Amino acid sequence: MSDATEPVRVLVVDDQELFRRGLIMLLGLDQDIEVVGEAADGKSATELAVSTAPDVVLLDVRMPKHGGVEACRTIKEAVPATKIIMLTSSDEEADLYESVKNGAAGYLLKDSSIEEVSQAVRVVNEGQSLISPSMAVKLIDEFKQMSKPDREQAPGLRLTERELEVLRLVARGLNNREIAKELYISENTVKNHVRNILEKLQLHSRMEAVMYAMREKLLDLP
């Protein structure tokens, strides 16, 4: 390739052949994305992920032979660097929390436009998290239910005021660039803050950090 930027290598996993092939065809029109494989079930997806080491996996939630949540877990265990975006046909998806807990970096509805899917692939590949707005509301509601009024903040876990500011903006769904603009700091500084937050909380992704923060009442949400 003459371009210095390599395309994002994507594995597409869905048991509905028509949807899977259509998604592959549309993603193929994007020069920044290269589809390196396809699978119709979770077991094959895990095997393909190991053999192709894709940058991003687009993974259907409901599938035979290892559901999407189980496949998400096994893929992350086998190929930790791979980012996973879950695809669902309903915003009532009960597996949202479990998917995030098992390492999913994104969660999209299947009726998202191809532009939204392509953008999600790029954003997640850059190390950020992405979730459909309607799903984000449900996720936040679930976190609130998990919080107990009499629960005390975990001892010894102290984020700086700036880190808390960053975490609140992450919880609102802002990406690094938007957070940098909001706080009048550089995008690099935002990345450093996010990395420090994850290290302090001993977590692996932005969404996990938000989940933990809400559970431990580190965020002031209405």
Side-chain angles (χ1 to χ4, degrees):
M1 261 179 73
S2 56
D3 192 342
T5 305
E6 295 292 332
V8 183
R9 303 172 69 256
V10 176
L11 172 62
V12 178
V13 186
D14 197 290
D15 64 330
Q16 297 176 2
E17 185 175 5
L18 190 61
F19 177 82
R20 185 176 75 248
R21 292 292 171 84
L23 184 55
I24 290 170
M25 182 183 72
L26 291 170
L27 287 173
L29 300 175
D30 193 320
Q31 294 183 342
D32 295 331
I33 294 173
E34 177 189 357
V35 177
V36 296
E38 61 176 294
D41 61 73
K43 188 172 185 298
S44 301
T46 302
E47 293 169 356
L48 259 178
V50 171
S51 63
T52 62
D55 299 312
V56 176
V57 177
L58 288 168
L59 182 61
D60 185 19
V61 171
R62 301 291 184 188
M63 292 183 303
K65 296 182 191 172
H66 275 38
V69 174
E70 187 177 357
C72 177
R73 179 178 55 77
T74 56
I75 289 171
K76 287 301 290 183
E77 286 175 355
V79 197
T82 293
K83 311 293 194 308
I84 298 175
I85 299 174
M86 306 300 291
L87 297 173
T88 178
S89 56
S90 168
D91 66 0
E92 296 296 333
E93 187 54 67
D95 292 323
L96 172 60
Y97 172 73
E98 288 301 317
S99 297
V100 174
K101 194 168 73 173
N102 280 291
Y107 211 97
L108 288 179
L109 294 174
K110 283 189 176 182
D111 63 4
S112 299
S113 70
I114 189 60
E115 288 81 11
E116 288 173 318
V117 177
S118 297
Q119 180 62 15
V121 167
R122 292 189 186 88
V123 166
V124 166
N125 184 57
E126 289 170 359
Q128 301 187 43
S129 299
L130 186 141
I131 189 167
S132 296
S134 61
M135 305 299 286
V137 171
K138 294 179 185 300
L139 192 60
I140 288 174
D141 285 342
E142 186 162 357
F143 294 157
K144 287 181 184 175
Q145 293 301 318
M146 290 163 56
S147 297
K148 295 183 176 156
D150 57 348
R151 187 164 185 171
E152 294 182 2
Q153 184 171 312
L157 275 179
R158 293 289 182 269
L159 299 180
T160 67
E161 283 303 313
R162 179 61 91 186
E163 287 166 351
L164 282 170
E165 282 182 305
V166 171
L167 191 50
R168 289 187 184 103
L169 294 175
V170 169
R172 280 170 44 194
L174 276 65
N175 61 34
N176 287 353
R177 187 171 303 166
E178 292 166 336
I179 293 173
K181 187 175 178 183
E182 182 89 9
L183 298 179
Y184 302 100
I185 57 180
S186 73
E187 205 169 331
N188 248 1
T189 302
V190 175
K191 288 179 184 176
N192 289 336
H193 283 313
V194 172
R195 186 175 64 246
N196 290 339
I197 290 166
L198 295 181
E199 285 178 0
K200 285 185 179 182
L201 300 180
Q202 297 184 328
L203 299 171
H204 307 291
S205 73
R206 293 162 71 103
M207 279 204 276
E208 276 189 296
V210 175
M211 289 166 60
Y212 185 96
M214 296 187 76
R215 196 167 64 236
E216 298 298 337
K217 301 197 303 178
L218 297 176
L219 301 180
D220 298 322
L221 293 172

